[in-house]
Amino acid sequence: MADDNRPFSRRNLLFAGGALAAGITTSGLVWALGSDTDEEPPDNSPPLVGEFDMRTGAELLAPTPLFNTTGPQSFAFDDANGLLYTLQGIQGDIQLDGETEPVDSGARKSAGDMCLTRMSSSGVPLGHMYLRGFGHGISFGVEPVGTSTYIWVEGRPDLASGYGRSVARVRFKDGALVDGSDDAVTQYEPVPGATEVSPALDLAGGRVLVSHTEDGEHRFSVYGKADFLAGHFDAAHLMRAGVQVKEEEWFQGCALHGDFVYVLTGHPYTGKKGDNPPKSGGNTYVSAIDIRTGEPQGRRKVTVAPGLPYREPEGMAISTAGVRAGLCVGFSIKAEERRELTVYRFTP
């Protein structure tokens, strides 16, 4: 857990090591530039990243289709009820209520339109809803409250990029279409003026993690959930996101557990002559930052399931089901006429 004897606020900015190269692509945040190759030397880095052994992972979710055909962006667990939720962009040429004609996928992306799928832990579909005008979906959280479930997600998207500028909290309702401007959506602005805002929840620790860009830098801030819901945004911890980045990388998700923020980066496979061919085993990396000191606490290439088709890292979440918590990494893979999600679990 966080060290309560070392409080940090937005005035005590921590450096997480390494230089951050700021920039945006349509697929994620560009972290740094470097050389590329189709073969890499063996990974001799320490196996532990934060608390988790990243050498091997077990398949938690077999390749599974979501409600729409587009690729997954992120996922989150409701372990209390044995459920898994996923976010993806709304597929092109769907016409929703209030629209005069079908909307193409590019317009959906710029508008921050997303589809949320609910499924069992084994991938059985159990419902969906559309979130229109919310964000890109790079990370989110699920909060069960009695018989209701609340989704914490991006809100108020920048219409040039489709990424959120606030944190939105909305109740899940199967089959519903919710607009970001609806009264049923509660909006929070923990860092006024920030862009690329996306939340994650640490329910066990009662905390909220917010990834955001401020003053041209990618940062992470950590808040107590009760304070956050009350509108009190003095962050307990604030870190810059540079974490031993060695290649050009896309930010693909984050999670908070114990004393560490976990960061997922990487690209999909390219062709044989590209900079990330299948023979390389991919360039997916997981890094950790100690929230007490802001120092990096491990970085390791994720080598599980190198034969997945396409294999783009998409989303990271903590599962507390079972005896030990697991750090889970999702991959978007190509299936016939659609993308699917598969998830792998890593333990301490």
Side-chain angles (χ1 to χ4, degrees):
M1 297 299 293
D3 183 354
D4 292 333
N5 293 322
R6 295 192 62 187
F8 295 94
S9 71
R10 296 184 63 212
R11 294 176 296 278
N12 302 109
L13 189 61
L14 300 177
F15 287 80
L20 175 65
I24 303 297
T25 74
T26 57
S27 299
L29 300 181
V30 177
W31 283 50
L33 297 176
S35 61
D36 47 66
T37 178
D38 62 358
E39 290 188 6
E40 296 187 8
D43 189 350
N44 296 318
S45 56
L48 286 183
V49 176
E51 298 179 12
F52 296 97
D53 188 336
M54 302 304 300
R55 287 175 295 186
T56 59
E59 183 186 80
L60 184 66
L61 179 72
T64 299
L66 310 182
F67 189 76
N68 276 193
T69 61
T70 53
Q73 293 296 327
S74 54
F75 61 95
F77 296 98
D78 174 1
D79 288 316
N81 296 297
L83 300 173
L84 175 66
Y85 290 77
T86 67
L87 276 176
Q88 63 188 138
I90 296 178
Q91 68 191 60
D93 300 323
I94 287 180
Q95 183 175 343
L96 299 177
D97 290 347
E99 298 171 352
T100 59
E101 60 184 6
V103 179
D104 66 43
S105 59
R108 292 287 188 199
K109 187 173 185 178
S110 296
D113 295 350
M114 297 185 290
C115 178
L116 180 75
T117 301
R118 179 175 65 181
M119 63 180 71
S120 71
S121 58
S122 61
V124 177
L126 298 173
H128 78 282
M129 67 185 296
Y130 286 115
L131 302 173
R132 189 166 54 188
F134 279 78
H136 187 76
I138 216 157
S139 66
F140 72 107
V142 177
E143 177 193 16
V145 180
T147 59
S148 297
T149 301
Y150 287 87
I151 309 301
W152 294 58
V153 66
E154 301 167 49
R156 296 176 179 156
D158 181 333
L159 297 184
S161 67
Y163 286 80
R165 296 175 296 171
S166 68
V167 174
R169 184 173 181 263
V170 57
R171 187 171 67 88
F172 177 83
K173 183 178 180 181
D174 186 22
L177 166 62
V178 177
D179 287 300
S181 58
D182 288 352
D183 291 341
V185 180
T186 305
Q187 301 278 358
Y188 302 90
E189 291 192 21
V191 187
T195 58
E196 290 90 43
V197 173
S198 56
L201 293 181
D202 169 27
L203 292 178
R207 297 177 297 177
V208 181
L209 172 67
V210 178
S211 169
H212 61 281
T213 297
E214 184 182 15
D215 298 329
E217 294 182 317
H218 187 179
R219 303 176 181 181
F220 295 104
S221 49
V222 178
Y223 307 86
K225 185 163 75 71
D227 287 340
F228 195 99
L229 288 170
H232 304 313
F233 301 129
D234 189 16
H237 307 280
L238 180 60
M239 295 143 282
R240 287 178 176 153
V243 283
Q244 300 171 294
V245 176
K246 298 180 181 179
E247 304 174 39
E248 181 188 62
E249 296 182 350
W250 294 345
F251 172 55
Q252 299 282 17
C254 57
L256 173 65
H257 178 70
D259 292 326
F260 303 101
V261 169
Y262 295 90
V263 183
L264 177 68
T265 59
H267 298 161
Y269 281 145
T270 60
K272 292 181 180 180
K273 296 183 179 180
D275 59 3
N276 189 36
K279 69 182 294 184
S280 71
N283 62 3
T284 297
Y285 283 86
V286 170
S287 304
I289 308 170
D290 190 320
I291 65 173
R292 299 164 297 182
T293 64
E295 294 297 323
Q297 291 294 321
R299 166 186 163 92
R300 192 172 178 92
K301 183 175 178 179
V302 179
T303 58
V304 295
L308 292 173
Y310 190 73
R311 195 181 183 271
E312 180 174 9
E314 293 282 14
M316 168 186 283
I318 299 292
S319 172
T320 57
V323 177
R324 297 181 294 177
L327 179 65
C328 301
V329 173
F331 291 99
S332 174
I333 63 174
K334 283 186 175 180
E336 187 175 357
E337 298 183 350
R338 67 183 308 128
R339 297 279 173 82
E340 296 183 347
L341 172 69
T342 184
V343 176
Y344 284 79
R345 187 174 192 267
F346 300 84
T347 54

